[in-house]
Amino acid sequence: MKILSIGWFRSLSSTSLHRHWALQNNSDTIDKIEAGLPKINLWHRIAYHLFQKGIPVKLPDDTNVNTKIKELVSHNTYDIVWIDKGVTINKSTLTFIKCKSPKTSIISYSPDNMALRHNQSLNYLQCIPHYDYIFTNKSYILNEMKNLGAKNIKFIDNMYEDSFHYPRKLADIDIKRLGGEVGFVGSWEKERCESILFLVKNNIPVKVFGDGKWNEYKSTSPFLTILPAIFSEDYSKALQAFKISLCFLRKKNYDQQTTRTMEIPACGGFMLAERTNEHLNLFEEGKEAVYFSSNKELLEHCKYYLINEDERKKIALAGLVRCQTSGYSNNKSIKKMLDIIAANG
């Protein structure tokens, strides 16, 4: 199988890069094209905001990804062209691929809710009907995406990268630097901030690794520590080093699970996550993960599991085993998607 992989590969922490690695492991030959922007320039920002206001303006192709795709397709025949998110990919590029190679399957994957305007672009909306398959980790947007023109849309659970998210032997300095009683790694959102402030007001020590608006809370409480965002190996180490690792869901995307749903237990961390039906199906409550539906319940769980170390470690280990035995890795999930494509020609 020969694959052309287009994605956002600049960071070692990039889930797009991790999916590329899995595609590489499941292919005979693979070429790749970087689609991520080195930096967001002024025209990109203007075009994005105009589109958000309903004005039909395309995002600029600052990395010339469309030209690069056409050049490779002109000289190679691919079984699959895999496009991660693809907000700067143009419809003319997809029609060019089909003209050159009608049997090539053009695939779209995005970890974001692509039924929502703030994740879309005009480029993406025009491409939707031209993808042979669209894979999404949002189970609740299938009908909306069909209404936008999607021909074949399939739900797939989130994934973790087993060569990146795995338990490490942590040195004491790592535990001191990255660990703590309760921790969260991620961006600021109103609801998750309110939950963390509720914990610290009740004397639960919380460490947050995050930038932006999180910095406004540095002097809020002696129980709250705000540190810069972390990436690469430090990210995986922190998920393992916290006694309790919090898993919040992005409210503006209406998430029912997130990448951290898989990454925290895959790293050997104890996951305390928001309770949803999808979380309950992925990890058994009280045995492989622990869930909360209110700040009061969140506080009760933190108090209990901080002093019940053996039970906490048992649940963390069971969560890790569930990741490994249920096929939540990139390699197994990507293979599942490629099998779906192959089975349907």
Side-chain angles (χ1 to χ4, degrees):
M1 181 184 295
K2 189 169 185 176
I3 298 177
L4 175 58
S5 170
I6 299 106
W8 303 55
F9 307 137
R10 295 182 187 277
S11 168
L12 188 62
S13 302
S14 166
T15 60
S16 181
L17 176 61
H18 298 164
R19 286 185 289 277
H20 171 77
W21 290 344
L23 287 168
Q24 191 170 28
N25 291 338
N26 284 281
S27 65
D28 301 309
T29 306
I30 190 165
D31 294 325
K32 71 174 181 177
I33 298 175
E34 170 64 60
L37 303 177
K39 60 180 179 180
I40 305 297
N41 60 30
L42 179 60
W43 174 236
H44 188 101
R45 290 192 187 94
I46 292 172
Y48 175 80
H49 287 295
L50 288 174
F51 174 74
Q52 294 306 307
K53 292 181 180 296
I55 299 171
V57 178
K58 288 183 179 181
L59 286 182
D61 180 7
D62 296 305
T63 56
N64 294 317
V65 63
N66 289 281
T67 299
K68 293 173 183 176
I69 292 171
K70 290 176 181 179
E71 287 176 353
L72 280 175
V73 169
S74 294
H75 298 95
N76 299 275
T77 300
Y78 296 101
D79 298 295
I80 290 173
V81 174
W82 178 285
I83 299 174
D84 239 70
K85 195 161 184 178
V87 290
T88 59
I89 306 300
N90 296 326
K91 179 181 76 172
S92 60
T93 300
L94 303 191
T95 57
F96 179 88
I97 295 169
K98 281 297 185 183
C99 181
K100 287 289 183 181
S101 180
K103 292 185 178 180
T104 296
S105 294
I106 308 176
I107 311 303
S108 170
Y109 178 92
S110 175
D112 294 320
N113 182 342
M114 299 308 290
L116 294 177
R117 187 82 175 183
H118 66 263
N119 290 321
Q120 299 169 345
S121 67
L122 180 61
N123 321 51
Y124 179 80
L125 287 176
Q126 291 177 342
C127 284
I128 289 175
H130 298 275
Y131 284 112
D132 294 299
Y133 284 92
I134 294 176
F135 289 100
T136 176
N137 57 7
K138 316 298 181 191
S139 61
Y140 45 90
I141 69 168
L142 302 186
N143 287 332
E144 291 175 82
M145 293 300 293
K146 288 177 183 176
N147 291 337
L148 290 172
K151 290 185 293 189
N152 294 301
I153 181 158
K154 304 290 184 183
F155 166 69
I156 193 87
D157 286 313
N158 279 281
M159 313 164 228
Y160 74 95
E161 175 50 48
D162 54 13
S163 67
F164 187 81
H165 305 112
Y166 62 89
R168 290 154 169 85
K169 186 172 182 178
L170 300 179
D172 290 342
I173 191 171
D174 288 325
I175 295 173
K176 183 177 180 180
R177 180 172 62 94
L178 299 168
E181 299 293 286
V182 178
F184 174 69
V185 184
S187 58
W188 183 93
E189 277 198 342
K190 178 177 178 290
E191 293 83 2
R192 59 183 60 167
C193 182
E194 289 173 349
S195 293
I196 287 172
L197 292 178
F198 183 80
L199 291 178
V200 301
K201 285 176 183 176
N202 285 278
N203 301 331
I204 300 294
V206 180
K207 181 183 286 186
V208 173
F209 288 103
D211 294 325
K213 199 171 176 66
W214 280 124
N215 292 317
E216 298 177 15
Y217 296 85
K218 283 187 173 180
S219 302
T220 299
S221 165
F223 289 94
L224 179 61
T225 303
I226 305 291
L227 294 171
I230 51 174
F231 305 95
S232 299
E233 191 172 17
D234 276 353
Y235 171 79
S236 296
K237 286 181 176 179
L239 298 184
Q240 178 184 355
F242 292 133
K243 291 181 181 178
I244 295 176
S245 203
L246 300 176
C247 179
F248 293 111
L249 299 173
R250 189 173 289 277
K251 299 300 183 291
K252 68 178 183 178
N253 280 345
Y254 308 109
D255 285 348
Q256 300 298 303
Q257 55 172 283
T258 183
T259 53
R260 283 172 188 77
T261 301
M262 306 303 187
E263 293 166 356
I264 292 169
C267 289
F270 173 92
M271 182 169 69
L272 179 50
E274 294 185 58
R275 185 182 287 106
T276 67
N277 287 335
E278 289 183 22
H279 272 165
L280 291 166
N281 287 333
L282 291 166
F283 297 96
E284 187 175 351
E285 183 165 17
K287 293 186 177 180
E288 298 166 336
V290 175
Y291 303 115
F292 65 94
S293 295
S294 67
N295 286 337
K296 181 182 177 183
E297 188 177 17
L298 170 64
L299 175 62
E300 289 171 353
H301 285 321
C302 285
K303 286 180 175 179
Y304 178 82
Y305 285 104
L306 283 174
I307 61 174
N308 287 276
E309 181 178 7
D310 289 344
E311 192 172 351
R312 192 179 70 235
K313 288 183 175 180
K314 184 179 179 181
I315 290 172
L317 178 58
L320 170 62
V321 172
R322 180 65 183 271
C323 281
Q324 295 169 341
T325 57
S326 291
Y328 297 160
S329 69
N330 276 306
N331 273 329
K332 291 181 179 178
S333 297
I334 291 291
K335 185 180 186 306
K336 188 186 302 180
M337 287 184 266
L338 295 178
D339 288 344
I340 290 171
I341 298 164
N344 291 277

